């Protein structure tokens, strides 16, 4: 079953609770939270205090995508704030296995994110410990960028590996997922769709989430 994870990066931060509620009414079942520190990526967004506020206004899983350096230092704070899923970048972690264990130890679901230039096969050995793999289909840092087509090959490779290894991790895709790309993303095998601009960009999150999810379900044959 395909799920939609609206990314609040493109929401109106002054009306965050309303925006999340609208995306939820439109069928969003996971809230994607982009955490950026101005070092790992050239943009700054939010941290645990905002996650704590979001926790009060939604029961949906909070899917925190960390684009920050020294992730280990912040994992306890995200757990205390009420985060459910934590994804960390392969390119950002010197001791990826240790960081993933730390996330699990704090009761959250661990995931790895791969930048467009990072090969899927590099994480083969740690696939069994992952709740999901997040394929970046843009370079991280900003919403509203153009989808990079070879991401589709990476989704297909993950589907193949999941089958070969008999695993159950989910495949999430982030960046440029919109009406013109969603069918290809779903048909390649993604089952968690992050969308920022396509949900919040035009100011009517409920109807835009609903339309995007409907298109995804048609493409998935659901
Ligand atoms: C980019 C973020 C994305 C972003 C996607 O670094 O990780 O989650 O919100 O935005 P869209 O859907 O607009 O490409
Ligand atoms: Zn993201």
């Amino acid at each position: 079953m395909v799920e939609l994870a609206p990314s609040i990066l493109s929401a109106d931060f002054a009306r965050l609770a309303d925006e999340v509620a609208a995306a939820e009414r439109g069928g969003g079942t996971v809230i994607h939270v982009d955490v950026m520190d101005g070092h790992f990526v050239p943009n700054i967004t939010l941290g645990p205090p905002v996650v704590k506020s979001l926790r009060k206004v939604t029961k949906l899983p909070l899917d925190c995508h960390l684009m920050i350096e020294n992730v280990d230092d912040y994992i306890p704070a995200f757990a205390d704030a009420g985060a459910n899923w934590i994804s960390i970048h392969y390119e950002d972690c010197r001791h990826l296995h240790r960081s993933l264990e730390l996330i699990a130890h704090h009761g959250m679901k661990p995931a790895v994110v791969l930048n467009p230039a990072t090969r899927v096969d590099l994480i083969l050995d740690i696939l069994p410990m992952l709740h999901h793999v997040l394929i970046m289909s843009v370079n991280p840092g900003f919403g509203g960028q153009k989808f990079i087509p070879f991401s589709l090959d990476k989704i297909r490779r993950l589907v193949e590996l999941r089958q070969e290894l008999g695993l159950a991790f989910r495949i999430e895709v982030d960046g440029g997922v919109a009406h013109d790309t969603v069918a290809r993303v779903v048909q390649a095998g993604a089952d968690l769709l992050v969308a920022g601009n396509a949900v919040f960009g035009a100011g009517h999150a409920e109807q835009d989430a609903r339309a995007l999810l409907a298109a995804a379900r048609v493409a998935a044959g659901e």
Side-chain angles (χ1 to χ4, degrees):
M1 192 80 172
V2 175
E3 285 187 78
L4 179 65
S7 162
I8 60 163
L9 184 62
S10 292
D12 178 352
F13 278 25
R15 301 174 43 251
L16 208 42
D18 294 345
E19 293 270 71
V20 167
E24 197 167 334
R25 287 195 303 275
T29 42
V30 172
I31 300 300
H32 186 80
V33 181
D34 288 303
V35 180
M36 306 185 188
D37 68 351
H39 294 279
F40 179 64
V41 289
N43 196 6
I44 300 176
T45 54
L46 52 87
V50 175
V51 172
K52 193 173 174 190
S53 296
L54 285 168
R55 184 71 293 159
K56 293 180 195 151
V57 300
T58 182
K59 292 190 167 53
L60 296 182
L62 297 173
D63 169 26
C64 296
H65 172 191
L66 303 192
M67 289 160 274
I68 62 174
E69 291 182 355
N70 304 320
V71 288
D72 293 6
D73 294 351
Y74 301 96
I75 284 165
F78 280 99
D80 289 347
N84 304 98
W85 304 355
I86 296 281
S87 53
I88 55 178
H89 274 258
Y90 175 86
E91 306 81 12
D92 189 31
C93 296
R94 186 169 293 167
H95 303 291
L96 187 57
H97 178 268
R98 178 189 288 156
S99 299
L100 292 166
E101 281 197 322
L102 190 64
I103 293 167
H105 176 77
H106 280 84
M108 301 178 291
K109 306 278 190 209
V112 170
V113 195
L114 301 178
N115 274 342
T118 306
R119 286 190 77 98
V120 164
D121 286 58
L122 289 169
I123 56 166
L124 212 140
D125 292 343
I126 50 163
L127 284 174
M129 66 194 295
L130 302 181
H131 173 261
H132 63 281
V133 177
L134 174 50
I135 296 290
M136 287 309 298
S137 39
V138 298
N139 285 291
F142 302 95
Q145 302 182 78
K146 201 169 169 310
F147 183 83
I148 297 174
F150 71 74
S151 315
L152 297 170
D153 296 330
K154 296 167 77 173
I155 301 169
R156 289 186 200 106
R157 177 68 184 140
L158 273 173
V159 171
E160 209 173 82
L161 285 172
R162 183 169 61 188
Q163 169 80 21
E164 268 172 30
L165 302 170
L167 297 172
F169 60 82
R170 304 191 64 188
I171 302 173
E172 186 174 40
V173 177
D174 186 4
V177 176
H179 284 281
D180 56 336
T181 54
V182 72
R184 282 180 290 155
V185 169
V186 167
Q187 281 158 6
D191 48 32
L192 285 166
L193 307 172
V194 176
N197 198 47
V199 169
F200 295 107
H204 18 76
E206 179 176 350
Q207 73 191 61
D208 289 346
R210 186 173 291 129
L212 188 63
L213 189 56
R217 290 196 169 141
V218 168
E222 288 173 2

